[in-house]
Amino acid sequence: MKDQIRSISEEALKEASAVPADKDAVDALRIKYLGRKGIITELFKQMGSVPAEVRPEVGGLINTLKESVTRALDEKSALISTCLEEGEAVDVTLPGIPGRIGRIHPITKTINEINSLFISLGFRVLEGPEIETEHYNFEALNIPLEHPSRDAFDTFYVSFEKKALLRSHTSPVQARFMEKNKPPFAIVVPGRVFRPDATDASHSFMFHQVEGLVVGEGIKFSDLKGTLAAFAQAMFGAKARMRFRPSFFPFTEPSAEVDISCIVCSGKSREKRCSMCGGKGWLEIMGAGMVNPKVFEAVGYDPEKVTGFAFGMGVERIAILKYGITDIRLFFENDVRFLRQF
Ligand code: PHE
């Protein structure tokens, strides 16, 4: 009986592995071995005539045989279900599952847009270092060490000995560029800036600015206004209006804060209800002014001969206004649900 079981086992497993992955063929084999009158079923029926002392052993062997044949046939059946039935075909024209494609980050997108606007006005785009010296971040811009205005540009220091810091604005690139170049020129400088501000919906310790600088003979405040008006209309639509509020920056004189009419209520609403401007009707987008003669002197330009204007805008601010975003942190959290919308 044991020999019989062994040879049935060999034969059955050989057949099960040789059978094609075809439903009818696998079913036939299953009936042959495991059906009501199948070979293995018959073996169980013979158990009655097996002597009692070897019955448990023989029973165990038949059980093992049954399990291994069942498993071999099940594996074959699994193959069938992944194959096509006869007459079926794969429609190769069906759309596939598209891979996710990355997108341009809304900040990069806004910077690109600002750059190309200024390029169309004749500006050059360049960049400067994010790790700066006290000299370029402050002194060269007429912000002396003990000057209270230095507090406005609160700073992350990288090294006190080397006087190295993370730049708190893009203005240091003004001085770097002027040291190496002669007027006339018009440049814009996009880049990251850093300030140790507590993070909330409208503050981030890292954000982006685009600096602008135009220097030449006879550059006037009206040139600054005209340039920024062209920028505001291209960026926020022909209806966008602009206003200059007197302000102070050590590196420009006179200085102004530049506002655009609220993109939500168009500046018409004087109601407290406008969620964007709080009823003020205006939104601040940048600082600007005529370059302070002291800045020209520091880089060896003759302030009697050349004049110029400068501006510095917050890129997040502009993107927030353009896209109606309510929280600056969304830009830096890398949540694809947010990023996918751009
Ligand atoms: N650097 C100033 C700031 O970060 C902005 C500015 C740039 C103002 C150029 C005037 C001229 O607040």
Side-chain angles (χ1 to χ4, degrees):
M1 180 97 180
K2 283 194 218 160
D3 287 343
Q4 197 193 351
I5 294 170
R6 200 171 304 118
S7 72
I8 291 173
S9 171
E10 276 170 23
E11 179 65 19
L13 293 177
K14 207 193 290 166
E15 275 195 88
S17 78
V19 71
D22 170 85
K23 191 170 181 304
D24 292 342
V26 176
D27 281 351
L29 261 193
R30 209 181 286 274
I31 291 164
K32 177 174 174 189
Y33 286 98
L34 304 163
R36 235 178 320 123
K37 290 191 182 130
I39 295 170
I40 294 171
T41 319
E42 290 302 324
L43 281 176
F44 278 116
K45 286 181 189 161
Q46 291 169 31
M47 284 292 283
S49 55
V50 173
E53 352 38 292
V54 290
R55 207 178 284 154
E57 194 195 348
V58 172
L61 285 175
I62 303 174
N63 267 329
T64 312
L65 169 64
K66 185 184 172 185
E67 277 163 25
S68 57
V69 173
T70 306
R71 197 177 323 118
L73 291 172
D74 284 351
E75 277 166 17
K76 231 354 142 205
S77 299
L79 281 181
I80 300 170
S81 55
T82 62
C83 296
L84 291 171
E85 295 281 337
E86 201 178 279
E88 279 185 339
V90 173
D91 182 355
V92 293
T93 67
L94 278 175
I97 300 162
R100 287 239 178 97
I101 298 173
R103 284 159 184 274
I104 307 269
H105 191 279
I107 292 300
T108 310
K109 208 171 148 171
T110 307
I111 290 176
N112 290 347
E113 205 173 320
I114 296 169
N115 286 349
S116 50
L117 268 168
F118 281 105
I119 288 169
S120 72
L121 293 173
F123 282 69
R124 267 174 64 192
V125 178
L126 57 112
E127 290 183 344
E130 289 173 5
I131 295 179
E132 262 301 358
T133 58
E134 276 188 331
H135 172 75
Y136 286 110
N137 199 73
F138 297 121
E139 274 100 61
L141 295 167
N142 190 35
I143 315 177
L145 186 57
E146 297 309 330
H147 197 281
S149 70
R150 203 137 155 170
D151 297 345
F153 299 96
D154 234 3
T155 317
F156 282 118
Y157 273 79
V158 175
S159 155
F160 279 114
E161 298 99 73
K162 292 189 186 134
K163 300 184 173 189
L165 45 82
L166 297 178
R167 65 177 176 193
S168 54
H169 51 173
T170 42
S171 300
V173 191
Q174 290 189 19
R176 285 187 175 273
F177 183 83
M178 288 194 279
E179 277 178 355
K180 295 218 169 79
N181 296 274
K182 293 266 153 286
F185 60 80
I187 57 167
V188 279
V189 187
R192 252 186 287 264
V193 301
F194 308 83
R195 292 180 195 178
D197 282 332
T199 303
D200 63 24
S202 53
H203 292 87
S204 167
F205 57 84
M206 184 280 294
F207 58 99
H208 298 74
Q209 288 187 331
V210 175
E211 190 79 11
L213 179 66
V214 175
V215 181
E217 283 179 33
I219 301 289
K220 302 183 291 295
F221 197 90
S222 54
D223 296 317
L224 167 63
K225 275 192 110 166
T227 304
L228 294 184
F231 164 78
Q233 299 202 338
M235 203 70 188
F236 297 105
K239 289 210 190 97
R241 286 171 303 122
M242 229 181 41
R243 78 171 180 187
F244 282 63
R245 267 183 298 118
S247 185
F248 173 79
F249 296 102
F251 34 95
T252 48
E253 185 60 37
S255 302
E257 219 95 46
V258 181
D259 299 341
I260 58 154
S261 47
C262 177
I263 42 123
V264 173
C265 71
S266 321
K268 285 187 208 109
S269 139
R270 288 283 176 272
E271 294 172 33
K272 289 272 178 293
R273 255 177 271 138
C274 178
S275 60
M276 191 57 97
C277 67
K280 284 195 229 100
W282 295 96
L283 300 156
E284 186 190 318
I285 55 168
M286 66 178 108
M290 298 306 287
V291 179
N292 190 319
K294 286 191 180 150
V295 175
F296 283 149
E297 275 162 15
V299 295
Y301 285 8
D302 181 358
E304 295 299 323
K305 277 180 83 179
V306 293
T307 50
F309 65 77
F311 55 86
M313 62 181 88
V315 177
E316 281 75 5
R317 195 75 220 263
I318 288 172
I320 280 171
L321 299 179
K322 212 171 151 53
Y323 298 113
I325 294 162
T326 50
D327 194 320
I328 194 172
R329 290 170 288 200
L330 287 165
F331 290 125
F332 310 120
E333 283 169 348
N334 275 342
D335 186 333
V336 286
R337 290 171 301 180
F338 171 74
L339 297 174
R340 230 187 269 143
Q341 300 175 56
F342 296 90

